[in-house]
Amino acid sequence: MSTGSSTAPSSADVIRIHKHGGPEEMRFESIDLPPPAAGQVRLRQTAIGLNFIDVYTRTGLYPGPTPAVLGVEGAGEIDAVGEGVTGLRPGDRVVYNGVPGAYASHRNAPADRMIKIPEAVKDEDAAAVFLKGLTVWMLIFEIRRLNPGETILVWAAAGGVGSILVPWANALGARVIGVVSTPEKA
């Protein structure tokens, strides 16, 4: 049984493609939105992350079925929970990544992929940096632990991952050398 707001929508506005191609293939549409199934939450999306994977999906470089709602990263407020969901409730602010269908006003998504957003963090910031921040964390703590005094070279230092990696590595005491493609990015 779903719980939450009695005004929960039965439809969602989405950006969807029906075939792979350029940006002209993106369509603003309304789709039916059923109540969240067991193990799911329904989100009122407040922000989405824009990533190159979205372009790769749209163009077909990363092939997948169509029609498809683009995007894999977002933040929002839970407005309903499906049966069996624990630890989350309507009103919670959450962020997620790796869940296709983010370009939507509302959506259902697996509850176990939702991470609560700390009160001090804006939804827009959470959606913009979640995937990139996890990538940086993995690089400096899991792939190879970064130690104070080490020197690292960061390609695309002004890009999404680089703009998080450079100050984080610096704060950990590393010497950071950044590579950028233009003088403006330097």
Side-chain angles (χ1 to χ4, degrees):
M1 164 179 253
S2 294
T3 61
S5 170
S6 61
T7 60
S10 60
S11 66
D13 295 326
V14 301
I15 297 179
R16 184 161 69 166
I17 60 169
H18 291 269
K19 66 179 185 175
H20 297 106
E24 69 279 359
E25 297 304 330
M26 298 187 313
R27 303 278 183 262
F28 184 79
E29 301 175 346
S30 287
I31 62 170
D32 290 336
L33 184 64
Q40 289 186 329
V41 298
R42 179 175 30 233
L43 296 177
R44 178 184 59 80
Q45 302 249 107
T46 54
I48 60 171
L50 300 175
N51 299 290
F52 278 109
I53 193 170
D54 304 339
V55 175
Y56 301 156
T57 300
R58 176 184 42 80
T59 63
L61 181 62
Y62 292 177
T66 57
V69 177
L70 297 172
V72 296
E73 180 177 34
E77 183 177 319
I78 295 174
D79 70 16
V81 299
E83 186 176 330
V85 173
T86 60
L88 296 170
R89 65 178 195 267
D92 285 346
R93 295 172 46 244
V94 294
V95 64
Y96 64 89
N97 77 28
V99 183
Y103 289 17
S105 62
H106 297 79
R107 68 160 314 163
N108 294 328
D112 64 358
R113 300 298 296 271
M114 302 296 123
I115 303 295
K116 289 184 182 178
I117 301 172
E119 194 173 310
V121 177
K122 295 178 187 176
D123 292 4
E124 294 85 356
D125 294 337
V129 303
F130 190 56
L131 177 60
K132 295 168 236 7
L134 287 173
T135 300
V136 171
W137 177 85
M138 177 197 59
L139 289 170
I140 61 179
F141 293 109
E142 292 293 320
I143 299 296
R144 185 182 174 284
R145 182 165 288 277
L146 183 61
N147 295 305
E150 291 184 314
T151 300
I152 64 169
L153 177 66
V154 178
W155 291 95
V161 170
S163 65
I164 297 171
L165 177 57
V166 169
W168 199 343
N170 189 40
L172 292 173
R175 178 174 176 245
V176 180
I177 300 170
V179 176
V180 295
S181 60
T182 67
E184 294 78 25
K185 289 181 179 180

